[in-house]
Amino acid sequence: MSDCVFCNIIEGKIPSVPVYENEHIIAFKDINPQAPTHLLIVPRKHIPTTMDIVEGDMKDIIPEIFAAVKHLAGQFNLEQGGFRVVNNCGKDGGQTVDHLHFHLLGGRQLTWPPG
Ligand code: AMP
Ligand code: ZN
């Protein structure tokens, strides 16, 4: 999608700080970090929201998301302290980029409930 910021990052048209990638997903640093570690894990395929995930994605993409979470938690030394994985979905969920993504936040004590 030419007007999608994450598709443009995936295609190398917008710069990012990549931290992990494989056939199905990429991960890069959030441009406006809300914690000492704030990464975005994003499928290469343009899937607008969680509600647009289809059966094939459940096999190919979703397992890779959580494999990346575990890999990155190790890479960024979050295993011991813990971390949070967030998917904002739709307007009430606070989603601002309409390309499925999972936030990985850590490196400080996170509060609950979120705003
Ligand atoms: P959400 O509100 O869940 O849709 O999250 C979108 C996230 O994308 C926000 O945390 C933004 O800071 C982040 N973001 C937007 N544009 C960029 C960009 N060019 N590079 C990295 N992160 C971005
Ligand atoms: Zn996209």
Side-chain angles (χ1 to χ4, degrees):
M1 289 258 302
S2 59
D3 60 347
C4 169
V5 62
F6 289 171
C7 282
N8 279 300
I9 285 174
I10 290 159
E11 290 167 21
K13 294 175 183 161
I14 292 178
S16 70
V17 181
V19 291
Y20 179 85
E21 62 183 302
N22 68 25
E23 184 188 350
H24 292 296
I25 63 159
I26 72 163
F28 49 87
K29 293 191 176 183
D30 195 293
I31 204 168
N32 183 23
Q34 302 300 310
T37 296
H38 186 172
L39 309 173
L40 298 172
I41 302 168
V42 180
R44 291 184 187 277
K45 179 183 172 189
H46 181 87
I47 301 170
T49 80
T50 294
M51 297 308 293
D52 300 300
I53 295 169
V54 297
E55 203 179 327
D57 303 331
M58 294 289 188
K59 279 189 230 129
D60 293 341
I61 294 172
I62 300 306
E64 295 291 346
I65 300 280
F66 282 89
V69 166
K70 287 192 69 175
H71 177 88
L72 289 164
Q75 189 174 324
F76 284 82
N77 296 313
L78 302 176
E79 288 155 308
Q80 216 177 351
F83 54 87
R84 185 172 293 166
V85 178
V86 175
N87 168 241
N88 296 324
C89 183
K91 184 177 75 64
D92 283 359
Q95 183 174 2
T96 60
V97 176
D98 291 335
H99 181 134
L100 181 68
H101 54 281
F102 293 80
H103 300 253
L104 173 58
L105 297 138
R108 68 170 170 86
Q109 180 64 61
L110 299 164
T111 58
W112 192 265

